[in-house]
């Protein structure tokens, strides 16, 4: 079993050269809407790289407990009536987008006051 950061970097070598939306879509964490005419279905995540999703799931669960920004996003989604799995998926997406931004700007993670 590889560390999540190693799995992300090896499975997504394009990270740091993409926009946030494209990075999330490449990981399979972008919501895809299903529509046809007047019929509208639920948005789902699909496609992408399943190995990256598996590697990011547990760090997202931990981030919802210990990272103040991720915890706030998770609790906000839960308070608005979203299910817990959807909220964790949103945190997973935010982790991928944050990793993409940090690699693109060649920065290290740090606690920055808002």
């Amino acid at each position: 079993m590889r560390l999540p950061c190693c799995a992300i970097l090896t499975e997504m070598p394009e990270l740091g050269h993409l926009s946030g939306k494209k990075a999330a879509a490449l990981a399979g964490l972008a919501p895809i809407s299903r529509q046809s005419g007047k019929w509208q279905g639920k948005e789902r995540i699909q496609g992408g790289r399943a190995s990256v999703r598996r590697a990011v799931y547990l760090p997202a669960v931990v981030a919802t407990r210990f990272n103040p920004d991720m915890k706030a996003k998770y609790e906000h989604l839960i308070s608005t009536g979203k299910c817990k799995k959807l909220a964790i998926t949103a945190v997973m997406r935010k982790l991928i987008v944050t990793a993409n931004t940090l690699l693109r700007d060649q920065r290290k993670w740090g606690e920055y006051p808002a």
Side-chain angles (χ1 to χ4, degrees):
M1 182 175 174
R2 291 187 286 189
L3 294 173
C5 58
C6 294
I8 291 169
L9 291 174
T10 57
E11 297 292 331
M12 291 182 62
E14 304 91 348
L15 211 59
H17 301 287
L18 302 170
S19 68
K21 288 182 179 182
K22 288 184 181 180
L26 189 61
L29 294 169
I32 308 295
S33 61
R34 296 180 57 204
Q35 298 178 6
S36 176
K38 293 182 181 180
W39 181 82
Q40 288 188 332
K42 290 184 178 181
E43 290 187 341
R44 302 177 189 273
I45 59 168
Q46 64 184 29
R49 299 181 181 165
S51 57
V52 175
R53 284 195 306 275
R54 280 192 299 269
V56 176
Y57 175 75
L58 200 54
V61 172
V62 172
T64 61
R65 293 184 62 200
F66 299 107
N67 185 310
D69 295 332
M70 303 295 178
K71 185 176 185 176
K73 180 165 184 72
Y74 178 78
E75 289 177 353
H76 171 71
L77 289 169
I78 296 296
S79 68
T80 58
K82 303 295 182 184
C83 67
K84 291 181 180 181
K85 190 176 274 192
L86 184 140
I88 289 177
T89 303
V91 171
M92 291 168 60
R93 178 187 168 111
K94 190 167 183 174
L95 285 174
I96 291 292
V97 171
T98 302
N100 184 53
T101 303
L102 292 174
L103 286 170
R104 183 190 65 218
D105 298 344
Q106 296 180 353
R107 293 186 328 188
K108 291 185 180 181
W109 170 257
E111 296 278 335
Y112 299 106

